[in-house]
Amino acid sequence: MMAVPGAGADGLQQQAALLIDADNFSDAQAINAAWSQFKARAGRIHVFRAYGGVMHLQALASVWRTLGARTFPNLALEKNTTDAALIADAVALHFQQGVRIFAIASGDADFAPLAVRLREWGCEVWCFSMEGIIFQGVEAYYDRVVRFLPQPTAIPVTVSVVQAVPIKPVHVSVPAASVLAAKPTPLPKAIKPPLPPALPDEVERILKAVPGLRDTPQMLNLIVPLLRQQAILGKATKSTVFFGRHAAYFKLSPTHQPTQLAYTPPRSMPPASAYKASAESAKPVQKLPERSAASTPATAAVLSWPVLIRRHAAPPLLAELHGLRSVLLQLAVRRVSTADVLLAVPEMLRGQPCSLSAVAGRLREKGLLRPYQSALRVLERHPGSFAVEMSCTPQAVIYLR
């Protein structure tokens, strides 16, 4: 006679419960594998519940829906209540519903007393955990321990290709008094974009160990085991202290009890004087027609105008949407050409320095820049056409040719 999975000594099938601590066990592939292995042992999983923070549970919503799990978000308190909720439910399930086979997916040492007590009551207790975060000597507390190797994967982003629309030439009328010399002048040589600054060795090792971190934020409880395995992060070093040493390259969120890590590449833009020097060496100095002493200021004035649409902070998004928004913003910036900027700000065609904030406001009015984007992202893509003087007040934008 074949043995029935999950059957007790009397031949009847015993009730089984799979309880997941989603704050520590949040790998989708590992959750599916744990569910399959435990179902093969128990024959049927009568109770399947997941406990954790709201962000952790929402990030795995598709997994809970596919496997039919009930989710229990922790209480909105300063202290994490996930462990206490799981322990209380496990005790209630044994005495109220007669559950005799338990599986706890966490690896947190806080559940060791629960496992010991359940075994004293005659229950069979399994442990599912991720390699690198499970506590030492776990086998002494559980009947069976299954470890999984974390496999961090970047969130896939689908980008639709938009066909570029050719820009028709537009004739801009310029007053005769401001027309420059009629002799044609050679175009300045193209300026090569600056090379990105070299990253510290430890930052390079982190990005090499977790390649998906370059494109999208990753869950902190998946990154830490990988860094400990490769001896990048010490076993006794706190992750918040470790990444705090590299605050210029990594950002932890939220600030209180962080759960996610994002890579923030450094921005590098050479000073505007470098662009101006290169452009001036490629073309002769041009002079405007002489004006009367009364109308000529002592120093070159920076042209400005009232800004109707000012820059404001981007609206908050879910973690999985940050990567998509970043890609879409990069595509939008690439579509803005030099001609688009000059059509929006024709004053720069006369060689007049214009206020950076005023130029940004004009670009937002024309729909070329989102309210929470910086105009520097657009201008730095055309180093041979525009120079930004950051040392003066207000900051000025100069058209080089």
Side-chain angles (χ1 to χ4, degrees):
M1 183 175 180
M2 296 181 60
V4 179
D10 54 1
L12 299 177
Q13 190 179 49
Q14 297 176 329
Q15 293 196 41
L18 173 57
L19 309 179
I20 294 184
D21 174 11
D23 290 340
N24 289 310
F25 195 82
S26 57
D27 186 285
Q29 296 181 1
I31 293 174
N32 281 279
W35 185 88
S36 299
Q37 292 190 30
F38 191 59
K39 186 175 184 298
R41 162 63 185 93
R44 178 187 176 191
I45 300 178
H46 299 79
V47 179
F48 183 21
R49 298 179 181 180
Y51 306 80
V54 176
M55 291 184 60
H56 285 134
L57 296 176
Q58 288 182 348
L60 296 166
S62 60
V63 177
W64 313 134
R65 184 170 55 252
T66 302
L67 300 180
R70 292 179 61 192
T71 58
F72 293 82
N74 56 22
L75 299 178
L77 302 174
E78 294 183 358
K79 178 67 176 176
N80 192 329
T81 59
T82 299
D83 296 357
L86 192 153
I87 294 172
D89 278 4
V91 175
L93 287 171
H94 174 65
F95 286 103
Q96 295 178 1
Q97 295 183 215
V99 177
R100 301 295 298 273
I101 306 176
F102 284 89
I104 301 174
S106 173
D108 194 333
D110 290 343
F111 297 115
L114 172 64
V116 172
R117 184 57 63 91
L118 291 175
R119 292 174 64 183
E120 291 177 355
W121 293 334
C123 299
E124 179 182 348
V125 188
W126 285 35
C127 174
F128 294 105
S129 183
M130 307 303 298
E131 187 67 45
I133 66 173
I134 194 170
F135 66 97
Q136 295 182 355
V138 62
E139 288 81 3
Y141 301 91
Y142 293 90
D143 294 300
R144 182 172 179 182
V145 179
V146 181
R147 295 177 172 86
F148 296 99
L149 183 66
Q151 299 291 336
T153 56
I155 301 174
V157 178
T158 305
V159 180
S160 59
V161 180
V162 181
Q163 184 176 4
V165 179
I167 301 176
K168 297 181 180 180
V170 177
H171 298 284
V172 180
S173 59
V174 180
S178 62
V179 176
L180 302 177
K183 294 182 180 181
T185 57
L187 296 176
K189 297 181 180 179
I191 303 174
K192 295 182 179 181
L195 295 176
L199 298 176
D201 293 340
E202 197 168 47
V203 175
E204 288 283 6
R205 293 176 61 195
I206 295 172
L207 296 176
K208 185 177 180 181
V210 192
L213 187 59
R214 290 182 180 271
D215 303 320
T216 184
Q218 299 286 332
M219 302 303 295
L220 189 61
N221 63 338
L222 297 181
I223 295 177
V224 171
L226 290 177
L227 300 183
R228 294 195 193 279
Q229 287 179 358
Q230 301 188 24
I232 300 175
L233 176 62
K235 294 184 178 180
T237 305
K238 291 186 177 181
S239 58
T240 53
V241 176
F242 176 76
F243 290 111
R245 297 201 303 261
H246 305 291
Y249 303 94
F250 300 101
K251 180 181 179 181
L252 291 168
S253 61
T255 305
H256 179 66
Q257 293 184 349
T259 58
Q260 284 192 336
L261 179 70
Y263 172 58
T264 55
R267 300 179 183 177
S268 61
M269 184 176 179
S273 57
Y275 293 138
K276 292 175 64 178
S278 177
E280 290 174 356
S281 62
K283 63 179 182 180
V285 177
Q286 300 178 358
K287 297 182 179 180
L288 294 174
E290 296 183 358
R291 302 180 181 180
S292 61
S295 62
T296 304
T299 57
V302 178
L303 185 62
S304 184
W305 50 84
V307 179
L308 300 179
I309 305 178
R310 295 188 177 275
R311 185 180 180 186
H312 58 75
L317 291 178
L318 294 176
E320 55 266 27
L321 297 181
H322 278 289
L324 176 60
R325 180 172 66 182
S326 176
V327 172
L328 294 178
L329 290 179
Q330 291 178 12
L331 291 177
V333 168
R334 290 178 182 177
R335 293 187 60 189
V336 181
S337 64
T338 302
D340 293 330
V341 178
L342 294 177
L343 288 174
V345 193
E347 292 86 352
M348 287 195 294
L349 285 170
R350 307 167 190 170
Q352 172 69 50
C354 296
S355 167
L356 176 61
S357 60
V359 171
R362 190 72 63 78
L363 295 178
R364 294 187 183 101
E365 294 173 17
K366 300 296 182 180
L368 301 175
L369 195 66
R370 303 298 298 171
Y372 43 81
Q373 283 183 281
S374 171
L376 289 175
R377 291 289 184 90
V378 175
L379 299 174
E380 67 185 4
R381 290 193 56 81
H382 308 286
S385 300
F386 301 102
V388 182
E389 185 59 56
M390 306 295 290
S391 59
C392 64
T393 304
Q395 298 166 345
V397 182
I398 305 170
Y399 178 50
L400 299 177
R401 59 177 183 179

